[in-house]
Amino acid sequence: MRGFHLACLKRFSLIHVVYMGLLSLIIAPVMADRPSEEDLTGLSMEQLLNVEVINASRLGQKENMAPTSISVVTAKDIHTFGWRTLGDALNGMRGLFYTNDRNYNYLGVRGFIHTGDYNSRVLLMIDGKRMNENIYDGAYIGQEFVLDMDLVERIEFIPGSGASIYGANAYTGMINVVTKNAQAIDGAQLAGEIGTFNAYKGRATVSKVWQNGTEGLLSASHYDSSGPENLYFREFDTPSANNGIAHNMDGERADRLFGKLKYGNLTLSGGYVDRYKRVPTAAFGTIFNDPGFYTDDAQFYTDLIYQNKLTDDSTLLLRGFYQGYDYRSDLPYAGGRRIVNRDLVSGRWGGGEAQFTTTAIDRHRLMMGLEYQYDQKQHQANFDKDPYVLYFDSDGSGHRVELYVQDEFAIRDDLLFNVGLRLDYHHMVNSMQLNPRLGLIWNPLDSTTVKILYSTTFRAPNAYESDLDAFGIVANPNLKEERIRTYEGILEWRDGYGLKVLGNFFYNEMTQVLETEPVNAEAMSFFNNGAYTTYGFELESEKRWDGGRLLKASYTYNLMTDEARGGHWAVASPQNLFKLHYAEPLFGDKAMLGIENIFVDQRKTLQGGMAEPYYLVNVNLSSDRLIPNLDLSFGVYNLLDNHYQMVGGDGSDNDLRQDILRMNGREFRFKAVLEF
């Protein structure tokens, strides 16, 4: 079955990391010697202060006026640092980290991570459209993400429940991926790349801007990788299990299609991805080194937006969408002989949104919206193929209705009060959900912004958690919503020449968190018994120069405690994160060198062990000017060849047997993009 294994954690020298973080924060102001002038494909944080982040804030505020601490990376950042997946890009952002179970990537936010939840506590959006599917509420950030990274214009992230205006799943944060318009390419592109482990990828993209203003873009891509030829797992080191060596068991492939058409006030977009992955870990009691163990995820979406400026101070947005998700997995296990278990999931859902924004009332910016989603199909099934034995078959459907209102009130020219309120009906919860977001934003100086924020939100149990009734799991239809309460204080300073320094303090209270507990000696079920508290702070400094040089550093400290288990340091939660990004133009600005350094502290594991802290150094050299119409890049990932550790499972047949999973060593990628 598609299992549930929870999360894990560990720690390192706090003094050393704080020293590194403060050193980088000192270096950036010293180097700030001249103004920054960037084109729109590589906006600095200073320039982003003057760009409306409509998708992230739902009010179109400038970044420094939004009631949250938004993090943004651009298409130029993606190109400079050679990020191959959405997970790679998120892992480079302040306060975020991920873990990998050699099948899926799981995102951690400010210390909180539950591996096995398929990122259901993070809301993932594309162009403001919710992408979490309706079975696991999964937000997929690896090769199973629907977009090719070459089609991403920017990525916006709001941490904590500051995204509460979006409702369910914006529990620890919200990711919004903004896609490129046709003008960004305006022609045709052929892209190809090759890499370590016999990895290759091809992409073809065409776009057109017509004289009447119509824009169109269509892109298709294919990815394939054999993965490491041999992976060693000491938990299976017996002669009958190939001495713990999984041979040719880490292969992966993905096919994607994306299209976007804009005519006047209408924008139609859609995407599709089908990702196949062999699973080398023998998870969930399967036969070790059996090539028949795989997972296959397919997802599609269509999105139609109508946006019209009704008057000089009022705008109307209407949206309609239809989406789908299908999952299939074969799990060979030994039942006297080899038996293949088939796990199937199919979800379909659609709906719409109406949003009205106005500044007609003096000193107010008001937004009201109504969202509706019909979960048309929530089907789950599990059976043995031969001989056929049905273990589980469930169908569900239901409605979600959300009403939200938000007002930005300018008390004074330098003081804003932002208040948001959201009312949710969700068919997986027995009660209506009402959640506020409050923000006080003060600009005592042109260069300085102070924000004090408070918000709450919820996460509804998903169909998997509520309905699963097999494999030692007993269904629990009486689950409640998870709750989170967030407090945050933010101080931002800008020098007017491309330098920004940010510091914030946060405190989170999570209650009624869904976790598995025994119901008897042989069975478990999901209950709302989890409770966590997190407090911490973040420091970040960024400086961009004209010509492309970049220096950006961030340090995050978070202490997450498991209140349901004695208030001890929580599993899988690193206390320290440090990230340093440096980019340097070379050869007369014809090439760019990007260096990424990521430190993740040690983490506790579910089986009482400790995953070691690690440094991850990635280097990418790119050029789009050496040869006309040809963009070349060469990336070295994990330069230090560190087989860094990720937390594993609880050791049971309902999870991973491995306490710790070692990741791949050094990898290479060469990429070429030809433009016509």
Side-chain angles (χ1 to χ4, degrees):
M1 73 174 178
R2 185 174 188 174
F4 56 93
H5 68 282
L6 305 177
C8 327
L9 168 192
K10 193 169 182 182
R11 163 192 203 179
F12 179 73
S13 168
L14 176 61
I15 296 176
H16 182 62
V17 177
V18 171
Y19 170 77
M20 294 171 64
L22 292 177
L23 178 63
S24 297
L25 293 172
I26 292 171
I27 289 173
V30 171
M31 298 179 69
D33 54 0
R34 50 195 175 128
S36 173
E37 298 177 2
E38 292 285 304
D39 61 31
L40 293 177
T41 63
L43 295 176
S44 69
M45 294 300 291
E46 177 66 23
Q47 291 167 311
L48 283 167
L49 296 176
N50 298 312
V51 174
E52 293 191 344
V53 284
I54 295 173
N55 296 294
S57 67
R58 277 198 166 170
L59 269 182
Q61 301 103 320
K62 296 175 182 179
E63 188 270 340
N64 68 320
M65 302 307 295
T68 186
S69 54
I70 298 174
S71 296
V72 180
V73 297
T74 66
K76 186 171 183 179
D77 296 324
I78 294 170
H79 182 262
T80 296
F81 296 104
W83 291 324
R84 297 167 291 181
T85 66
L86 177 59
D88 286 347
L90 294 170
N91 197 43
M93 298 175 76
R94 163 173 40 94
L96 303 182
F97 64 100
Y98 72 70
T99 190
N100 180 284
D101 64 1
R102 289 205 171 272
N103 194 4
Y104 297 97
N105 288 330
Y106 302 95
L107 185 68
V109 182
R110 290 178 169 175
F112 182 86
I113 188 169
H114 261 36
T115 55
D117 71 353
Y118 305 103
N119 301 318
S120 62
R121 293 171 174 89
V122 178
L123 178 62
L124 175 61
M125 309 182 88
I126 294 179
D127 295 327
K129 168 75 204 75
R130 171 191 170 92
M131 294 302 298
N132 297 61
E133 37 84 4
N134 72 342
I135 304 294
Y136 308 102
D137 276 340
Y140 303 106
I141 61 175
Q143 290 295 342
E144 65 278 11
F145 179 54
V146 71
L147 286 179
D148 190 293
M149 290 300 288
D150 287 340
L151 304 178
V152 174
E153 179 62 32
R154 70 180 184 273
I155 302 167
E156 306 163 340
F157 180 77
I158 294 179
S161 62
S164 61
I165 197 89
Y166 291 96
N169 298 106
Y171 188 77
T172 59
M174 187 276 289
I175 307 161
N176 183 53
V177 180
V178 181
T179 59
K180 290 182 177 179
N181 290 321
Q183 302 99 313
I185 298 175
D186 196 16
Q189 287 185 348
L190 289 178
E193 58 185 74
I194 57 174
T196 310
F197 306 127
N198 195 30
Y200 66 89
K201 180 180 173 184
R203 175 179 61 87
T205 303
V206 294
S207 68
K208 176 71 174 178
V209 180
W210 285 271
Q211 291 184 350
N212 64 356
T214 302
E215 305 174 15
L217 184 150
L218 183 64
S219 182
S221 66
H222 173 77
Y223 169 83
D224 201 305
S225 173
S226 299
E229 183 178 6
N230 293 307
L231 292 169
Y232 173 72
F233 301 100
R234 61 179 179 81
E235 292 81 2
F236 296 93
D237 193 350
T238 64
S240 61
N242 199 33
N243 298 312
I245 298 174
H247 181 67
N248 289 333
M249 284 293 298
D250 201 41
E252 182 176 25
R253 64 175 181 266
D255 294 290
R256 294 181 180 85
L257 182 66
F258 173 78
K260 190 173 184 180
L261 181 65
K262 183 176 181 181
Y263 175 74
N265 297 323
L266 287 171
T267 302
L268 175 66
S269 62
Y272 170 80
V273 61
D274 185 356
R275 178 258 197 174
Y276 169 94
K277 178 70 171 64
R278 277 190 177 174
V279 185
T281 55
F284 319 129
T286 55
I287 299 172
F288 184 78
N289 198 38
D290 191 311
F293 185 11
Y294 72 89
T295 60
D296 192 314
D297 297 81
Q299 189 170 5
F300 73 86
Y301 82 99
T302 56
D303 186 28
L304 179 63
I305 298 174
Y306 171 79
Q307 189 166 11
N308 187 28
K309 192 165 186 177
L310 303 177
T311 66
D312 289 341
D313 47 28
S314 298
T315 302
L316 176 67
L317 181 146
L318 301 175
R319 180 194 300 270
F321 61 87
Y322 187 72
Q323 297 173 255
Y325 172 72
D326 294 292
Y327 167 83
R328 182 180 74 247
S329 179
D330 278 353
L331 301 95
Y333 71 95
R337 63 183 182 87
R338 182 180 183 271
I339 298 174
V340 177
N341 179 263
R342 171 65 61 86
D343 204 29
L344 289 176
V345 154
S346 184
R348 297 291 184 272
W349 64 101
E353 175 185 3
Q355 180 186 120
F356 175 73
T357 305
T358 182
T359 57
I361 304 174
D362 186 41
R363 305 188 75 82
H364 289 265
R365 193 170 191 178
L366 182 66
M367 179 198 58
M368 297 171 285
L370 177 67
E371 295 181 15
Y372 171 73
Q373 178 173 314
Y374 175 51
D375 289 330
Q376 173 190 3
K377 180 181 181 182
Q378 294 175 306
H379 179 244
Q380 304 175 71
N382 186 277
F383 55 89
D384 286 344
K385 295 172 65 176
D386 184 19
Y388 178 79
V389 179
L390 179 65
Y391 296 107
F392 174 58
D393 195 347
S394 172
D395 284 292
S397 63
H399 304 271
R400 309 183 192 191
V401 183
E402 301 92 19
L403 176 67
Y404 57 87
V405 60
Q406 185 167 275
D407 183 30
E408 180 188 275
F409 171 42
I411 301 173
R412 300 187 324 220
D413 290 343
D414 63 348
L415 184 63
L416 296 178
F417 179 58
N418 189 292
V419 56
L421 195 65
R422 182 171 178 125
L423 180 66
D424 284 76
Y425 166 78
H426 195 299
H427 67 96
M428 300 298 293
V429 180
N430 293 325
S431 60
M432 301 283 284
Q433 303 295 313
L434 183 65
N435 290 281
R437 179 175 75 180
L438 306 174
L440 193 63
I441 303 168
W442 179 40
N443 288 281
L445 302 170
D446 290 341
S447 61
T448 306
T449 301
V450 179
K451 304 179 184 181
I452 301 174
L453 310 172
Y454 168 80
S455 58
T456 70
T457 193
F458 78 104
R459 184 188 80 102
N462 55 53
Y464 168 72
E465 294 164 332
S466 177
D467 298 345
L468 182 64
D469 195 10
F471 307 103
I473 303 296
V474 178
N476 184 358
N478 299 315
L479 297 176
K480 300 177 182 179
E481 76 283 354
E482 298 180 343
R483 305 290 308 171
I484 183 171
R485 189 183 306 270
T486 297
Y487 307 83
E488 186 169 4
I490 304 168
L491 175 64
E492 299 177 5
W493 177 82
R494 303 161 299 278
D495 72 344
Y497 298 102
L499 172 66
K500 175 182 175 181
V501 178
L502 176 145
N504 63 39
F505 171 81
F506 56 88
Y507 179 78
N508 298 331
E509 296 176 345
M510 303 178 184
T511 56
Q512 300 183 180
V513 178
L514 284 166
E515 297 185 343
T516 53
E517 301 284 349
V519 294
N520 54 49
E522 298 180 351
M524 304 179 74
S525 189
F526 284 95
F527 295 97
N528 293 97
N529 292 340
Y532 297 90
T533 298
T534 306
Y535 69 85
F537 63 89
E538 296 175 336
L539 301 172
E540 183 173 68
S541 177
E542 176 182 345
K543 166 64 181 175
R544 293 180 188 256
W545 288 260
D546 57 334
R549 179 182 296 136
L550 162 70
L551 180 63
K552 181 178 181 180
S554 70
Y555 168 69
T556 301
Y557 172 79
N558 32 239
L559 179 61
M560 178 175 170
T561 55
D562 189 339
E563 303 303 323
R565 294 172 176 82
H568 299 295
W569 179 28
V571 167
S573 178
Q575 292 187 14
N576 298 285
L577 301 172
F578 173 72
K579 302 180 181 183
L580 178 65
H581 292 84
Y582 179 71
E584 179 68 28
L586 303 173
F587 308 117
D589 296 340
K590 293 183 179 180
M592 182 70 72
L593 177 67
I595 303 174
E596 178 179 49
N597 188 314
I598 295 173
F599 169 79
V600 178
D601 207 349
Q602 59 183 348
R603 293 132 288 148
K604 281 184 180 178
T605 68
L606 284 166
Q607 300 180 44
M610 198 72 76
E612 296 176 354
Y614 66 86
Y615 288 96
L616 190 62
V617 180
N618 304 317
V619 178
N620 189 68
L621 179 64
S622 59
S623 173
D624 57 4
R625 299 180 184 177
L626 284 176
I627 303 175
N629 301 321
L630 182 62
D631 181 1
L632 302 174
S633 62
F634 178 71
V636 183
Y637 303 89
N638 192 2
L639 177 69
L640 303 181
D641 199 23
N642 174 21
H643 289 269
Y644 53 101
Q645 299 178 350
M646 298 295 187
V647 295
D650 63 15
S652 73
D653 283 346
N654 283 330
D655 199 357
L656 291 170
R657 239 206 263 169
Q658 297 89 340
D659 186 36
I660 290 172
L661 294 169
R662 297 175 73 242
M663 295 293 103
N664 299 337
R666 188 182 300 115
E667 298 182 28
F668 302 91
R669 182 188 72 162
F670 176 75
K671 179 179 178 182
V673 180
L674 181 62
E675 297 182 347
F676 299 92

